[in-house]
Amino acid sequence: MKKRQLLQAGATLIGTACLLRYLPWRAKAMATSKSDFEITKTEKEWRETLTPEAFDVLRKHGTERAFTSALDKEYGKGTFVCSGCDLPLFSSETKYNSGTGWPSFYAPIEGAIATSIDRAFFMTRTEVHCSRCGGHLGHVFNDGPAPTGERYCMNGVSLKFIPG
C-alpha cells in the first residue's frame, strides 16, 4: 500500500509542476502586441485616477463579475471609450447582446486595441488591451456574429459610454 501511495504522490507532484505555468499569475508588466504606449503612469498614479475595481481590471488583468455592469445593457447610440485614457474603442453600432453578462462587440474601432496571449485558467485566449494606455479590457473569441465572427467580450468597468 505504501508503494502505491508513493507512486501516486510522485505523479501528483510531476503533474502539478507541469501545470504551474497555466496558473493565473499576474504579470508585473503588461506584455502586449504593442510594447510602448502613449500614456504611461506609475502604479501609484493609476491608483489615484481609477476606481479600485477599474484598477484591478485595467492594470492587474482582473475580471468583473458577469451581469454587474450597466454597460452590458447599454444600447444607445454613441462610443465606448477606455475608462483609463478615454480612447474611443468601440462604436455602439458593433455592440450586441451575447448573453454572457459582459458588454460584447463584433469589431473594435480601427487601431484602438492591442492584443496578447493569455494562458491563465488552463486555456489559451487572446487578451484585448487599449492601444493608448495598455489597459486590460477583456478577451476576443471566434464565436461572434457576422460580419467578423468575433466576440470582443469586455469588462464594463474598463469602458465608459459617451452618448452621441
Side-chain angles (χ1 to χ4, degrees):
M1 188 76 166
K2 289 183 179 182
K3 188 175 182 181
R4 179 178 293 182
Q5 289 173 336
L6 183 62
L7 288 172
Q8 287 174 336
T12 301
L13 279 172
I14 291 170
T16 301
C18 290
L19 293 174
L20 279 176
R21 69 184 186 115
Y22 293 105
L23 291 177
W25 307 113
R26 292 189 177 184
K28 290 184 180 179
M30 292 189 190
T32 67
S33 59
K34 183 175 176 180
S35 59
D36 296 320
F37 297 101
E38 180 183 338
I39 296 177
T40 57
K41 297 179 183 183
T42 65
E43 183 170 323
K44 182 181 178 202
E45 291 171 325
W46 282 117
R47 284 188 186 277
E48 291 171 354
T49 59
L50 298 171
T51 66
E53 295 82 11
F55 179 82
D56 181 57
V57 170
L58 287 166
R59 308 318 305 170
K60 297 296 182 180
H61 304 258
T63 301
E64 69 187 359
R65 288 182 321 150
F67 302 102
T68 60
S69 174
L71 294 183
D72 183 35
K73 300 298 181 198
E74 175 59 64
Y75 291 101
K77 285 192 170 220
T79 305
F80 293 83
V81 303
C82 176
S83 64
C85 71
D86 295 327
L87 177 70
L89 301 169
F90 298 94
S91 166
S92 61
E93 294 175 8
T94 64
K95 187 169 189 302
Y96 72 100
N97 184 2
S98 66
T100 61
W102 289 282
S104 297
F105 306 84
Y106 62 79
I109 293 172
E110 189 171 337
I113 66 160
T115 60
S116 65
I117 300 301
D118 177 3
R119 289 191 173 90
F121 304 111
F122 305 101
M123 63 182 115
T124 301
R125 302 178 291 178
T126 302
E127 189 171 352
V128 177
H129 302 272
C130 171
S131 68
R132 183 187 288 165
C133 71
H136 166 74
L137 304 170
H139 294 87
V140 61
F141 303 95
N142 292 320
D143 60 0
T148 65
E150 296 178 319
R151 172 175 49 99
Y152 287 83
C153 191
M154 303 293 101
N155 288 284
V157 72
S158 69
L159 305 172
K160 290 191 287 189
F161 179 67
I162 309 298

